[in-house]
Amino acid sequence: SHIYKKNHDVTKTWRGKTEQLLRVDDHDFIMRPAFGGPAIPVGVDVQVESLDSISEVDMDFTMTLYLRHYWRDERLSFPSTTNKSMTFDGRLVKKIWVPDVFFVHSKRSFIHDTTTDNIMLRVFPDGHVLYSMRITVTAMCNMDFSRFPLDSQTCSLELESYAYTDEDLMLYWKNGNESLKTDEKISLSQFLIQKFHTTSRLAFYSSTGWYNRLYINFTLRRHIFFFLLQTYFPATLMVMLSWVSFWIDHQAVPARVSLGITTVLTMSTIITGVNASMPRVSYIKAVDIYLWVSFVFVFLSVLEYAAVNYLTTVQERKERKLRERFPCTCGISHSKTMMLDGNYSESDANSLAGYTRNQMVPEEEKQEKMVVHLAMSNESNSSRKRGLKGHVGLRIIQNTHAIDKYSRLIFPGTYIFFNLIYWSVFS
């Protein structure tokens, strides 16, 4: 107890000296410095600590930064032989004048308060003041998704005085572009930060006047590899999978129909998943063009089989009617008669040797051209082959195998051509 009484309360003694030096109670700090005179210059610099998130759905970004203000207030000057500054926390800020800077177009913002308010005030003997805060702000960013996901976005964080016009307070970047510092460890999962820079201009409000506004601009370029794996590559595989049906026999109806429906539904799921994570914009995005063109290719492969199946049905119906009208074709079986109508083999043709054109088909049916006419007995083997080939060429629209054959070339060729144009335009 004897030692306790002997020591002085240093905290209480220093507090008295501080109040005496700054003379806070001797001045009215409600008014700005040099009130009634020229505008007070307030320099600003910013150090960006982190870019926390970029939201395409909400079209905003979240940034944590150190915001620092520099100005001179002669009311806070104090005599000093060492010319050393004095540093205070946020409790003194409530007693003096500070610039009323706010974030334009901000949605949410707060000053960090763990463990205490992250505010620093440093006063120099000549009255110069450094006022620093650690702030997290969520602000609006007008994004253009017409080239998504091959896009670049430019966002801005805007600072402005709320009450003081440019006649009372002049905001400016303290060191030009050097006023903006960024942490080298800043990184985003979906974006590459290309550039940070500062600008300033005047903002006009019809009711109150002109205000100085400062801009923190940063440009982001989206990483494409994620979307290649999650969107483009699966969509391309689905289109290629739909081409498998061209190599499946047209009589395997369950196989070709199920394959077509599966690819169509999968493409619909991919399109829905991409649009679920995007805002409902009224224009077409680059990814929409790719996905919908891929969807059209898948859908056309289903329609291609529908055309093949329909033409096959029509052809079989004609052959069935022909067999009903001529149940006996001079010893030729019905199965061989059907194969002659565009689908024949060498053995089938050779087995018909000895049957003349008049024996096979009546004279009144020649003009209808419903059966391929052969004259095996009076012509050489090579002449018979040329005759058959000529008739098949005239009826290529009814040859269902030819449609699949040409689709194997047309579909992949057209899709490759589309990809060349797409990536050359948007990349």
Side-chain angles (χ1 to χ4, degrees), residues 143-157:
M143 301 182 184
D144 182 13
F145 297 107
S146 59
R147 299 177 64 90
F148 176 88
L150 307 168
D151 58 332
S152 296
Q153 303 293 343
T154 299
C155 300
S156 299
L157 184 63

Side-chain angles (χ1 to χ4, degrees), residues 3-37:
I3 297 175
Y4 177 77
K5 292 179 180 179
K6 188 175 180 179
N7 293 334
H8 297 285
D9 190 347
V10 179
T11 304
K12 184 178 294 185
T13 302
W14 178 249
R15 181 169 177 266
K17 289 184 179 180
T18 302
E19 290 181 352
Q20 184 178 358
L21 284 175
L22 293 181
R23 302 192 304 274
V24 174
D25 296 331
D26 296 343
H27 302 281
D28 185 5
F29 284 96
I30 296 177
M31 295 180 292
R32 68 173 178 86
F35 182 78

Side-chain angles (χ1 to χ4, degrees), residues 1 49 62 65 83 107 169 212 251 317 322 329 378 420:
S1 61
E49 181 182 4
T62 302
L65 52 89
N83 199 29
K107 297 181 178 180
L169 189 146
N212 294 112
Q251 294 181 351
R317 186 183 299 115
L322 184 62
T329 316
N378 298 326
L420 292 176

